[in-house]
Amino acid sequence: MPILDQYGNPIQPGTARPDLREVAAVSIRDRYSSYPSNGLNPQRLARILREADDGDIYRQMELFEEMEEKDAHLFSQMQIRKNAVLGKEWEILPYSSEPADVNIAKFVGDILYNLTDLDDAFLDLLDGIGKGYATSEIMWDIRDGKAVPVELKWRHQKKFTFDQLDNLRLITDEAPVNGIEIPANKFAIHRYKARSGHPSRAGVYRVCAWMYLFKNYTIKDWVAFAEVYGMPLRVGKYDTGAPAAEKEALMQAVMQLGVDAAAIISKNTEIQFVEAVKNSGGDNLYKVLAEFCNGEMSKAILGNTLTSDTGSGSGSYALGKVHGDVRQDILEGDCKSLAKTVGRDIIRPIVLFNFGPAAVTRLPYLKHHYEPPEDTKQAAEVYKTLAETGLPIGTEHAYEKFGIPKPEPGKEVLIPWAQRYPPMQPMVNKCHMIPFEAPQQLPPVIAGQRSVDYLADQTLAAGLPIMTALMAPILKLLQEASTLEELEDKLIAAYPDMDTGELEDLLARAMFVADLYGRVSANG
């Protein structure tokens, strides 16, 4: 089946095609280790590191693997660093907003989002942080005329070597010493450069190797000390001139006490239990040295010690925040480095095989969302202040800034309390005084109604200043309250202080006049 381009047309011969073979298949040799950490001492460690400097990284990579297995602190710190990257959301973004670039980004994104165990593949590539580099073989397949990666298989670092020019080469059964040139567009190679120099010396574990060795010595001596300290010394005494058989029986009895805690001896022999001298105070030297080694490894891996070991020191919260900022820098560096590897070794071949060589100049890219969470409350205060000063702020920008989806037309939206229930507006402008006309100049019915309207308008006009002063504190409470319950409590508290005497007097006078007018009208 021919490989098609983005428009469904067959790619012409001569265009790059994926290698569908499994080049670095796992062999029996890969499954076994020489365990270089057994009997590790400074001389042996130095030899292993010098071998790696000469390009033979086989034993160094085996040692680094054992360091992760045997040192729980080293393992946990590296897991923290790797998971900090894996825990971030990511997306594939187009090179530009042009339709062609957007279509390429969508094509690549669909492939990566549906790639099986992609997070595991990222974890395998992040193994390069400790060891200097990590490799995964890309298993290509042709599906529906498209070249797609179906799996990323992790390959052990000891399957590779460096030549005299520091180029990485793949070791095979046919070339077990110098290796072969790595096929193009077949491997994702994530290099981590902790410092400048030879690639075999770039990993973080290279820095931790000596602390790992010293800690191993410390733990070994500590265990030996605990064994002696925890069990009393057994001393057997024999009489001068005791025969050899009696001495042998006494030694056997002492040895059995160490295992079975029971023995049979003659009356002429004596066994004493002498306890070791207990620590009279101060820090345990072995513990101090082990914690020092742990702290140095934490600095190398995480860039700090307070966020990993807080039980033994008296670190402050403020200093811990500073260390956290440094770790944010390391996180951003790891995310950018991984994105660079994915873009170069995975995204670029996908675009090359499916869209042709011309498209690789406008590659989509992987973006991790590693930015620390922003204090939205403080940002909201800034935006409020800017809006009150009259600075125009686009609503689209505000929605994007605070991550709020724009409401769809016709959907119910939140409205502030003051806008939902606006304060009472003064009614002075709404009071249109009706000029008084003498009743005898109008028909009786109309004259009577006009007189009543005039009386009502006069009463309303006289009552407006009273009502405004009376309602002022209530309107203030209405604007300040955030819930109906809060408003109810404040109104109950404010009610005893409200003076309604002037309003009651006005209403009483108005009702008295209305009563008199009614009586006059009724009597003709």
Side-chain angles (χ1 to χ4, degrees), residues 408-439:
E408 299 178 3
K411 297 293 184 179
E412 184 177 0
V413 296
L414 295 176
I415 300 177
W417 176 268
Q419 296 182 15
R420 185 181 295 272
Y421 302 101
M424 296 179 63
Q425 301 295 329
M427 300 179 62
V428 175
N429 295 332
K430 297 181 181 180
C431 296
H432 302 288
M433 302 299 295
I434 301 177
F436 179 75
E437 299 183 28

PDB file of all heavy atoms in Angstrom, residues 408-439:
ATOM      1  N   GLU A 408     -22.132  31.126  26.496  1.00  0.00           N
ATOM      2  CA  GLU A 408     -22.828  31.000  25.219  1.00  0.00           C
ATOM      3  C   GLU A 408     -24.083  31.869  25.220  1.00  0.00           C
ATOM      4  O   GLU A 408     -24.669  32.138  26.279  1.00  0.00           O
ATOM      5  CB  GLU A 408     -23.201  29.538  24.984  1.00  0.00           C
ATOM      6  CG  GLU A 408     -22.003  28.608  24.919  1.00  0.00           C
ATOM      7  CD  GLU A 408     -22.422  27.172  24.728  1.00  0.00           C
ATOM      8  OE1 GLU A 408     -23.650  26.930  24.595  1.00  0.00           O
ATOM      9  OE2 GLU A 408     -21.544  26.288  24.714  1.00  0.00           O
ATOM     10  N   PRO A 409     -24.498  32.313  24.047  1.00  0.00           N
ATOM     11  CA  PRO A 409     -25.712  33.162  23.977  1.00  0.00           C
ATOM     12  C   PRO A 409     -26.935  32.426  24.516  1.00  0.00           C
ATOM     13  O   PRO A 409     -27.152  31.243  24.229  1.00  0.00           O
ATOM     14  CB  PRO A 409     -25.859  33.434  22.477  1.00  0.00           C
ATOM     15  CG  PRO A 409     -24.482  33.257  21.916  1.00  0.00           C
ATOM     16  CD  PRO A 409     -23.843  32.167  22.731  1.00  0.00           C
ATOM     17  N   GLY A 410     -27.719  33.127  25.312  1.00  0.00           N
ATOM     18  CA  GLY A 410     -28.937  32.550  25.869  1.00  0.00           C
ATOM     19  C   GLY A 410     -28.746  31.818  27.172  1.00  0.00           C
ATOM     20  O   GLY A 410     -29.729  31.427  27.817  1.00  0.00           O
ATOM     21  N   LYS A 411     -27.480  31.600  27.604  1.00  0.00           N
ATOM     22  CA  LYS A 411     -27.220  30.901  28.850  1.00  0.00           C
ATOM     23  C   LYS A 411     -27.289  31.874  30.021  1.00  0.00           C
ATOM     24  O   LYS A 411     -26.961  33.052  29.895  1.00  0.00           O
ATOM     25  CB  LYS A 411     -25.852  30.219  28.817  1.00  0.00           C
ATOM     26  CG  LYS A 411     -25.709  29.138  27.750  1.00  0.00           C
ATOM     27  CD  LYS A 411     -26.602  27.947  28.046  1.00  0.00           C
ATOM     28  CE  LYS A 411     -26.382  26.837  27.036  1.00  0.00           C
ATOM     29  NZ  LYS A 411     -27.216  25.650  27.311  1.00  0.00           N
ATOM     30  N   GLU A 412     -27.736  31.352  31.162  1.00  0.00           N
ATOM     31  CA  GLU A 412     -27.822  32.184  32.357  1.00  0.00           C
ATOM     32  C   GLU A 412     -26.416  32.492  32.863  1.00  0.00           C
ATOM     33  O   GLU A 412     -25.544  31.625  32.886  1.00  0.00           O
ATOM     34  CB  GLU A 412     -28.618  31.471  33.450  1.00  0.00           C
ATOM     35  CG  GLU A 412     -28.842  32.316  34.692  1.00  0.00           C
ATOM     36  CD  GLU A 412     -29.690  31.605  35.727  1.00  0.00           C
ATOM     37  OE1 GLU A 412     -30.092  30.446  35.465  1.00  0.00           O
ATOM     38  OE2 GLU A 412     -29.929  32.192  36.795  1.00  0.00           O
ATOM     39  N   VAL A 413     -26.194  33.722  33.265  1.00  0.00           N
ATOM     40  CA  VAL A 413     -24.884  34.152  33.747  1.00  0.00           C
ATOM     41  C   VAL A 413     -25.023  34.694  35.156  1.00  0.00           C
ATOM     42  O   VAL A 413     -26.117  35.090  35.599  1.00  0.00           O
ATOM     43  CB  VAL A 413     -24.279  35.231  32.820  1.00  0.00           C
ATOM     44  CG1 VAL A 413     -24.022  34.666  31.438  1.00  0.00           C
ATOM     45  CG2 VAL A 413     -25.186  36.458  32.743  1.00  0.00           C
ATOM     46  N   LEU A 414     -23.898  34.722  35.865  1.00  0.00           N
ATOM     47  CA  LEU A 414     -23.877  35.266  37.210  1.00  0.00           C
ATOM     48  C   LEU A 414     -23.937  36.784  37.149  1.00  0.00           C
ATOM     49  O   LEU A 414     -23.274  37.414  36.331  1.00  0.00           O
ATOM     50  CB  LEU A 414     -22.601  34.827  37.937  1.00  0.00           C
ATOM     51  CG  LEU A 414     -22.454  33.319  38.203  1.00  0.00           C
ATOM     52  CD1 LEU A 414     -21.099  33.036  38.843  1.00  0.00           C
ATOM     53  CD2 LEU A 414     -23.575  32.824  39.106  1.00  0.00           C
ATOM     54  N   ILE A 415     -24.755  37.380  38.026  1.00  0.00           N
ATOM     55  CA  ILE A 415     -24.908  38.831  38.092  1.00  0.00           C
ATOM     56  C   ILE A 415     -24.633  39.263  39.523  1.00  0.00           C
ATOM     57  O   ILE A 415     -25.153  38.652  40.466  1.00  0.00           O
ATOM     58  CB  ILE A 415     -26.336  39.271  37.677  1.00  0.00           C
ATOM     59  CG1 ILE A 415     -26.624  38.833  36.237  1.00  0.00           C
ATOM     60  CG2 ILE A 415     -26.485  40.776  37.808  1.00  0.00           C
ATOM     61  CD1 ILE A 415     -28.023  39.162  35.783  1.00  0.00           C
ATOM     62  N   PRO A 416     -23.795  40.283  39.727  1.00  0.00           N
ATOM     63  CA  PRO A 416     -23.541  40.766  41.093  1.00  0.00           C
ATOM     64  C   PRO A 416     -24.827  41.164  41.796  1.00  0.00           C
ATOM     65  O   PRO A 416     -25.821  41.558  41.177  1.00  0.00           O
ATOM     66  CB  PRO A 416     -22.628  41.981  40.867  1.00  0.00           C
ATOM     67  CG  PRO A 416     -21.997  41.741  39.536  1.00  0.00           C
ATOM     68  CD  PRO A 416     -23.023  41.007  38.720  1.00  0.00           C
ATOM     69  N   TRP A 417     -24.809  41.052  43.095  1.00  0.00           N
ATOM     70  CA  TRP A 417     -25.983  41.348  43.914  1.00  0.00           C
ATOM     71  C   TRP A 417     -26.489  42.764  43.677  1.00  0.00           C
ATOM     72  O   TRP A 417     -27.696  42.986  43.546  1.00  0.00           O
ATOM     73  CB  TRP A 417     -25.607  41.160  45.387  1.00  0.00           C
ATOM     74  CG  TRP A 417     -26.699  41.523  46.338  1.00  0.00           C
ATOM     75  CD1 TRP A 417     -26.922  42.725  46.931  1.00  0.00           C
ATOM     76  CD2 TRP A 417     -27.742  40.656  46.798  1.00  0.00           C
ATOM     77  NE1 TRP A 417     -28.021  42.667  47.745  1.00  0.00           N
ATOM     78  CE2 TRP A 417     -28.544  41.418  47.678  1.00  0.00           C
ATOM     79  CE3 TRP A 417     -28.078  39.332  46.563  1.00  0.00           C
ATOM     80  CZ2 TRP A 417     -29.641  40.864  48.321  1.00  0.00           C
ATOM     81  CZ3 TRP A 417     -29.174  38.794  47.203  1.00  0.00           C
ATOM     82  CH2 TRP A 417     -29.955  39.553  48.065  1.00  0.00           C
ATOM     83  N   ALA A 418     -25.564  43.708  43.599  1.00  0.00           N
ATOM     84  CA  ALA A 418     -25.981  45.104  43.439  1.00  0.00           C
ATOM     85  C   ALA A 418     -26.650  45.338  42.096  1.00  0.00           C
ATOM     86  O   ALA A 418     -27.500  46.220  41.966  1.00  0.00           O
ATOM     87  CB  ALA A 418     -24.784  46.029  43.603  1.00  0.00           C
ATOM     88  N   GLN A 419     -26.254  44.544  41.047  1.00  0.00           N
ATOM     89  CA  GLN A 419     -26.876  44.706  39.744  1.00  0.00           C
ATOM     90  C   GLN A 419     -28.192  43.944  39.651  1.00  0.00           C
ATOM     91  O   GLN A 419     -29.118  44.372  38.977  1.00  0.00           O
ATOM     92  CB  GLN A 419     -25.922  44.222  38.647  1.00  0.00           C
ATOM     93  CG  GLN A 419     -24.653  45.034  38.534  1.00  0.00           C
ATOM     94  CD  GLN A 419     -23.767  44.548  37.416  1.00  0.00           C
ATOM     95  OE1 GLN A 419     -24.203  43.793  36.551  1.00  0.00           O
ATOM     96  NE2 GLN A 419     -22.507  44.974  37.437  1.00  0.00           N
ATOM     97  N   ARG A 420     -28.244  42.801  40.321  1.00  0.00           N
ATOM     98  CA  ARG A 420     -29.491  42.025  40.286  1.00  0.00           C
ATOM     99  C   ARG A 420     -30.597  42.746  41.063  1.00  0.00           C
ATOM    100  O   ARG A 420     -31.758  42.728  40.676  1.00  0.00           O
ATOM    101  CB  ARG A 420     -29.238  40.638  40.873  1.00  0.00           C
ATOM    102  CG  ARG A 420     -30.442  39.710  40.774  1.00  0.00           C
ATOM    103  CD  ARG A 420     -30.116  38.369  41.404  1.00  0.00           C
ATOM    104  NE  ARG A 420     -29.076  37.660  40.700  1.00  0.00           N
ATOM    105  CZ  ARG A 420     -29.302  36.841  39.680  1.00  0.00           C
ATOM    106  NH1 ARG A 420     -30.540  36.663  39.240  1.00  0.00           N
ATOM    107  NH2 ARG A 420     -28.319  36.210  39.101  1.00  0.00           N
ATOM    108  N   TYR A 421     -30.216  43.348  42.202  1.00  0.00           N
ATOM    109  CA  TYR A 421     -31.178  44.088  43.011  1.00  0.00           C
ATOM    110  C   TYR A 421     -30.640  45.506  43.186  1.00  0.00           C
ATOM    111  O   TYR A 421     -30.020  45.826  44.209  1.00  0.00           O
ATOM    112  CB  TYR A 421     -31.379  43.425  44.368  1.00  0.00           C
ATOM    113  CG  TYR A 421     -31.854  41.999  44.252  1.00  0.00           C
ATOM    114  CD1 TYR A 421     -30.961  40.946  44.420  1.00  0.00           C
ATOM    115  CD2 TYR A 421     -33.182  41.712  43.966  1.00  0.00           C
ATOM    116  CE1 TYR A 421     -31.387  39.640  44.303  1.00  0.00           C
ATOM    117  CE2 TYR A 421     -33.619  40.400  43.847  1.00  0.00           C
ATOM    118  CZ  TYR A 421     -32.723  39.372  44.009  1.00  0.00           C
ATOM    119  OH  TYR A 421     -33.141  38.078  43.894  1.00  0.00           O
ATOM    120  N   PRO A 422     -30.825  46.388  42.182  1.00  0.00           N
ATOM    121  CA  PRO A 422     -30.264  47.743  42.261  1.00  0.00           C
ATOM    122  C   PRO A 422     -30.932  48.545  43.364  1.00  0.00           C
ATOM    123  O   PRO A 422     -32.097  48.319  43.698  1.00  0.00           O
ATOM    124  CB  PRO A 422     -30.577  48.330  40.877  1.00  0.00           C
ATOM    125  CG  PRO A 422     -31.751  47.540  40.379  1.00  0.00           C
ATOM    126  CD  PRO A 422     -31.590  46.168  40.933  1.00  0.00           C
ATOM    127  N   PRO A 423     -30.183  49.456  43.947  1.00  0.00           N
ATOM    128  CA  PRO A 423     -30.760  50.293  45.011  1.00  0.00           C
ATOM    129  C   PRO A 423     -31.877  51.190  44.464  1.00  0.00           C
ATOM    130  O   PRO A 423     -31.926  51.489  43.272  1.00  0.00           O
ATOM    131  CB  PRO A 423     -29.553  51.124  45.485  1.00  0.00           C
ATOM    132  CG  PRO A 423     -28.613  51.112  44.326  1.00  0.00           C
ATOM    133  CD  PRO A 423     -28.785  49.794  43.662  1.00  0.00           C
ATOM    134  N   MET A 424     -32.767  51.583  45.358  1.00  0.00           N
ATOM    135  CA  MET A 424     -33.908  52.420  44.969  1.00  0.00           C
ATOM    136  C   MET A 424     -33.416  53.777  44.476  1.00  0.00           C
ATOM    137  O   MET A 424     -32.560  54.415  45.088  1.00  0.00           O
ATOM    138  CB  MET A 424     -34.844  52.607  46.164  1.00  0.00           C
ATOM    139  CG  MET A 424     -35.484  51.306  46.631  1.00  0.00           C
ATOM    140  SD  MET A 424     -36.549  51.574  48.052  1.00  0.00           S
ATOM    141  CE  MET A 424     -37.764  52.656  47.346  1.00  0.00           C
ATOM    142  N   GLN A 425     -33.916  54.195  43.337  1.00  0.00           N
ATOM    143  CA  GLN A 425     -33.531  55.479  42.773  1.00  0.00           C
ATOM    144  C   GLN A 425     -34.451  56.577  43.319  1.00  0.00           C
ATOM    145  O   GLN A 425     -35.620  56.346  43.603  1.00  0.00           O
ATOM    146  CB  GLN A 425     -33.644  55.427  41.243  1.00  0.00           C
ATOM    147  CG  GLN A 425     -32.766  54.355  40.611  1.00  0.00           C
ATOM    148  CD  GLN A 425     -31.297  54.649  40.808  1.00  0.00           C
ATOM    149  OE1 GLN A 425     -30.891  55.800  40.878  1.00  0.00           O
ATOM    150  NE2 GLN A 425     -30.493  53.587  40.926  1.00  0.00           N
ATOM    151  N   PRO A 426     -33.893  57.753  43.468  1.00  0.00           N
ATOM    152  CA  PRO A 426     -34.744  58.865  43.927  1.00  0.00           C
ATOM    153  C   PRO A 426     -35.894  59.095  42.953  1.00  0.00           C
ATOM    154  O   PRO A 426     -35.741  58.959  41.745  1.00  0.00           O
ATOM    155  CB  PRO A 426     -33.774  60.060  43.935  1.00  0.00           C
ATOM    156  CG  PRO A 426     -32.416  59.440  44.040  1.00  0.00           C
ATOM    157  CD  PRO A 426     -32.491  58.141  43.323  1.00  0.00           C
ATOM    158  N   MET A 427     -37.033  59.443  43.485  1.00  0.00           N
ATOM    159  CA  MET A 427     -38.239  59.573  42.685  1.00  0.00           C
ATOM    160  C   MET A 427     -38.636  61.031  42.447  1.00  0.00           C
ATOM    161  O   MET A 427     -39.729  61.317  41.970  1.00  0.00           O
ATOM    162  CB  MET A 427     -39.401  58.850  43.359  1.00  0.00           C
ATOM    163  CG  MET A 427     -39.145  57.362  43.556  1.00  0.00           C
ATOM    164  SD  MET A 427     -40.512  56.534  44.365  1.00  0.00           S
ATOM    165  CE  MET A 427     -41.812  56.809  43.189  1.00  0.00           C
ATOM    166  N   VAL A 428     -37.714  61.944  42.767  1.00  0.00           N
ATOM    167  CA  VAL A 428     -38.083  63.348  42.629  1.00  0.00           C
ATOM    168  C   VAL A 428     -38.397  63.693  41.189  1.00  0.00           C
ATOM    169  O   VAL A 428     -39.377  64.369  40.870  1.00  0.00           O
ATOM    170  CB  VAL A 428     -36.945  64.238  43.165  1.00  0.00           C
ATOM    171  CG1 VAL A 428     -37.246  65.708  42.920  1.00  0.00           C
ATOM    172  CG2 VAL A 428     -36.719  63.953  44.633  1.00  0.00           C
ATOM    173  N   ASN A 429     -37.556  63.164  40.280  1.00  0.00           N
ATOM    174  CA  ASN A 429     -37.769  63.502  38.870  1.00  0.00           C
ATOM    175  C   ASN A 429     -39.013  62.837  38.297  1.00  0.00           C
ATOM    176  O   ASN A 429     -39.466  63.195  37.214  1.00  0.00           O
ATOM    177  CB  ASN A 429     -36.541  63.079  38.054  1.00  0.00           C
ATOM    178  CG  ASN A 429     -35.310  63.869  38.459  1.00  0.00           C
ATOM    179  OD1 ASN A 429     -35.425  65.003  38.910  1.00  0.00           O
ATOM    180  ND2 ASN A 429     -34.135  63.257  38.302  1.00  0.00           N
ATOM    181  N   LYS A 430     -39.511  61.807  38.998  1.00  0.00           N
ATOM    182  CA  LYS A 430     -40.681  61.105  38.492  1.00  0.00           C
ATOM    183  C   LYS A 430     -41.983  61.717  39.021  1.00  0.00           C
ATOM    184  O   LYS A 430     -43.062  61.271  38.661  1.00  0.00           O
ATOM    185  CB  LYS A 430     -40.608  59.622  38.876  1.00  0.00           C
ATOM    186  CG  LYS A 430     -39.412  58.909  38.248  1.00  0.00           C
ATOM    187  CD  LYS A 430     -39.386  57.443  38.618  1.00  0.00           C
ATOM    188  CE  LYS A 430     -38.189  56.738  38.004  1.00  0.00           C
ATOM    189  NZ  LYS A 430     -38.151  55.302  38.356  1.00  0.00           N
ATOM    190  N   CYS A 431     -41.873  62.679  39.916  1.00  0.00           N
ATOM    191  CA  CYS A 431     -43.075  63.286  40.506  1.00  0.00           C
ATOM    192  C   CYS A 431     -43.469  64.521  39.690  1.00  0.00           C
ATOM    193  O   CYS A 431     -42.835  65.572  39.792  1.00  0.00           O
ATOM    194  CB  CYS A 431     -42.827  63.697  41.961  1.00  0.00           C
ATOM    195  SG  CYS A 431     -42.480  62.280  43.016  1.00  0.00           S
ATOM    196  N   HIS A 432     -44.458  64.392  38.881  1.00  0.00           N
ATOM    197  CA  HIS A 432     -44.935  65.507  38.063  1.00  0.00           C
ATOM    198  C   HIS A 432     -46.123  66.149  38.786  1.00  0.00           C
ATOM    199  O   HIS A 432     -47.204  65.578  38.851  1.00  0.00           O
ATOM    200  CB  HIS A 432     -45.351  65.019  36.675  1.00  0.00           C
ATOM    201  CG  HIS A 432     -44.227  64.333  35.956  1.00  0.00           C
ATOM    202  ND1 HIS A 432     -43.143  65.002  35.437  1.00  0.00           N
ATOM    203  CD2 HIS A 432     -44.039  63.016  35.693  1.00  0.00           C
ATOM    204  CE1 HIS A 432     -42.315  64.125  34.855  1.00  0.00           C
ATOM    205  NE2 HIS A 432     -42.852  62.919  35.002  1.00  0.00           N
ATOM    206  N   MET A 433     -45.864  67.322  39.315  1.00  0.00           N
ATOM    207  CA  MET A 433     -46.912  68.002  40.083  1.00  0.00           C
ATOM    208  C   MET A 433     -48.034  68.431  39.133  1.00  0.00           C
ATOM    209  O   MET A 433     -47.789  69.043  38.091  1.00  0.00           O
ATOM    210  CB  MET A 433     -46.326  69.220  40.785  1.00  0.00           C
ATOM    211  CG  MET A 433     -45.175  68.889  41.731  1.00  0.00           C
ATOM    212  SD  MET A 433     -45.668  67.779  43.053  1.00  0.00           S
ATOM    213  CE  MET A 433     -46.818  68.801  43.909  1.00  0.00           C
ATOM    214  N   ILE A 434     -49.255  68.104  39.512  1.00  0.00           N
ATOM    215  CA  ILE A 434     -50.420  68.484  38.720  1.00  0.00           C
ATOM    216  C   ILE A 434     -50.910  69.852  39.203  1.00  0.00           C
ATOM    217  O   ILE A 434     -51.232  69.997  40.380  1.00  0.00           O
ATOM    218  CB  ILE A 434     -51.542  67.442  38.859  1.00  0.00           C
ATOM    219  CG1 ILE A 434     -51.026  66.087  38.390  1.00  0.00           C
ATOM    220  CG2 ILE A 434     -52.778  67.865  38.081  1.00  0.00           C
ATOM    221  CD1 ILE A 434     -52.050  64.976  38.573  1.00  0.00           C
ATOM    222  N   PRO A 435     -50.959  70.862  38.325  1.00  0.00           N
ATOM    223  CA  PRO A 435     -51.419  72.194  38.760  1.00  0.00           C
ATOM    224  C   PRO A 435     -52.848  72.106  39.325  1.00  0.00           C
ATOM    225  O   PRO A 435     -53.714  71.448  38.760  1.00  0.00           O
ATOM    226  CB  PRO A 435     -51.376  73.040  37.490  1.00  0.00           C
ATOM    227  CG  PRO A 435     -50.415  72.300  36.592  1.00  0.00           C
ATOM    228  CD  PRO A 435     -50.591  70.867  36.911  1.00  0.00           C
ATOM    229  N   PHE A 436     -53.054  72.798  40.417  1.00  0.00           N
ATOM    230  CA  PHE A 436     -54.369  72.759  41.045  1.00  0.00           C
ATOM    231  C   PHE A 436     -55.345  73.641  40.268  1.00  0.00           C
ATOM    232  O   PHE A 436     -55.035  74.775  39.908  1.00  0.00           O
ATOM    233  CB  PHE A 436     -54.269  73.249  42.490  1.00  0.00           C
ATOM    234  CG  PHE A 436     -55.588  73.264  43.184  1.00  0.00           C
ATOM    235  CD1 PHE A 436     -56.173  72.079  43.612  1.00  0.00           C
ATOM    236  CD2 PHE A 436     -56.260  74.480  43.378  1.00  0.00           C
ATOM    237  CE1 PHE A 436     -57.395  72.118  44.251  1.00  0.00           C
ATOM    238  CE2 PHE A 436     -57.493  74.497  44.014  1.00  0.00           C
ATOM    239  CZ  PHE A 436     -58.053  73.320  44.456  1.00  0.00           C
ATOM    240  N   GLU A 437     -56.475  73.066  39.987  1.00  0.00           N
ATOM    241  CA  GLU A 437     -57.533  73.811  39.312  1.00  0.00           C
ATOM    242  C   GLU A 437     -58.771  73.820  40.209  1.00  0.00           C
ATOM    243  O   GLU A 437     -59.114  72.804  40.797  1.00  0.00           O
ATOM    244  CB  GLU A 437     -57.882  73.167  37.961  1.00  0.00           C
ATOM    245  CG  GLU A 437     -56.697  73.136  36.994  1.00  0.00           C
ATOM    246  CD  GLU A 437     -57.112  72.558  35.652  1.00  0.00           C
ATOM    247  OE1 GLU A 437     -58.284  72.681  35.300  1.00  0.00           O
ATOM    248  OE2 GLU A 437     -56.251  71.968  34.973  1.00  0.00           O
ATOM    249  N   ALA A 438     -59.381  74.941  40.282  1.00  0.00           N
ATOM    250  CA  ALA A 438     -60.554  75.072  41.167  1.00  0.00           C
ATOM    251  C   ALA A 438     -61.632  74.096  40.741  1.00  0.00           C
ATOM    252  O   ALA A 438     -61.927  73.974  39.553  1.00  0.00           O
ATOM    253  CB  ALA A 438     -61.091  76.506  41.124  1.00  0.00           C
ATOM    254  N   PRO A 439     -62.226  73.401  41.676  1.00  0.00           N
ATOM    255  CA  PRO A 439     -63.248  72.400  41.342  1.00  0.00           C
ATOM    256  C   PRO A 439     -64.409  72.976  40.557  1.00  0.00           C
ATOM    257  O   PRO A 439     -64.973  72.294  39.718  1.00  0.00           O
ATOM    258  CB  PRO A 439     -63.683  71.883  42.705  1.00  0.00           C
ATOM    259  CG  PRO A 439     -62.529  72.173  43.613  1.00  0.00           C
ATOM    260  CD  PRO A 439     -61.926  73.436  43.103  1.00  0.00           C
TER     261      PRO A 439
END
